[in-house]
Amino acid sequence: MQHEESGLSTRQQHIVRIAALTAKGDIPNLKTALNEGLDAGLTVGETKEVLVQMYAYCGFPRSLMGINTLIAVLDERKAQNIHDHQGPQASPITDTRDKYTRGKEILETLTGRTDTGQTSGFGAFSPEIDVFLKEHLFADIFERDILNYQDRELATIAALVSLGGVEPMMQSHMNIGMHVGLTEPQLRQVLSIIESSVGQQEAAAGAGVLDTVLAGRK
């Protein structure tokens, strides 16, 4: 696949578009995006993994609609004698430590910050949600190896910007994205894809959050 030195690879662009349209619930355009992604070389496993990850950020209804749409697309392509590459299955998790410890460690890797165990905000008010985040989101999902951390952050950022109204989470994940190697031009390209695929209002709100993130990182 082609790769633009200062921007997103073709593969990454398709991940962003699929995640954005899934979060928005735009099934007709998602169907087109899924076909385009598969045509461009996304494996069935990679595509499915993006849709699975979406349930953590936009809920089971959107995720399941996306997965059902992928099933329909694959059936149609098979009927047209198109044989899509399945790709590898997720590797078994061999780390025997408890999920909270593993999730905490993954979160520290993503943010570059040590978790001192002192919670505030939602974590202090609702300790159970902190456990769910670490054990499920960061251990069960981010620990899987079908997608790397950059892929998962691109999908997450695309979903959050497309949803709108979740600016603190956008800011957090844009910072995480940059910590795991995403660049300003790549994040600007994410917003450009969202503007053309989802809407100008969502992209503009995302641009405002990105400007705040960049100012804070200087």
Side-chain angles (χ1 to χ4, degrees), residues 105-172:
E105 187 175 280
I106 290 169
L107 181 57
E108 288 176 338
T109 300
L110 291 169
T111 61
R113 297 194 301 269
T114 300
D115 187 335
T116 63
Q118 296 179 339
T119 56
S120 60
F122 69 81
F125 182 75
S126 179
E128 59 271 26
I129 203 71
D130 179 66
V131 172
F132 295 159
L133 281 169
K134 290 187 174 72
E135 289 190 349
H136 185 42
L137 176 57
F138 293 108
D140 284 340
I141 299 178
F142 271 76
E143 195 170 20
R144 291 166 62 84
D145 61 0
I146 297 290
L147 302 174
N148 61 33
Y149 289 161
Q150 284 193 14
D151 294 336
R152 292 189 184 280
E153 284 305 321
L154 284 169
T156 299
I157 293 165
L160 294 175
V161 175
S162 298
L163 284 172
V166 289
E167 284 76 8
M169 291 75 185
M170 275 191 236
Q171 185 170 338
S172 175

Side-chain angles (χ1 to χ4, degrees), residues 43-92:
T43 69
V44 174
E46 288 172 327
T47 307
K48 180 171 63 175
E49 193 73 16
V50 172
L51 299 173
V52 169
Q53 170 144 338
M54 288 299 92
Y55 97 83
Y57 293 98
C58 54
F60 272 116
R62 290 282 195 253
S63 176
L64 293 177
M65 287 297 293
I67 290 170
N68 285 332
T69 304
L70 176 59
I71 292 170
V73 165
L74 292 173
D75 286 343
E76 290 173 4
R77 291 169 69 87
K78 187 176 181 180
Q80 297 166 19
N81 205 31
I82 299 172
H83 301 287
D84 293 299
H85 181 45
Q86 294 295 314
Q89 297 295 310
S91 302

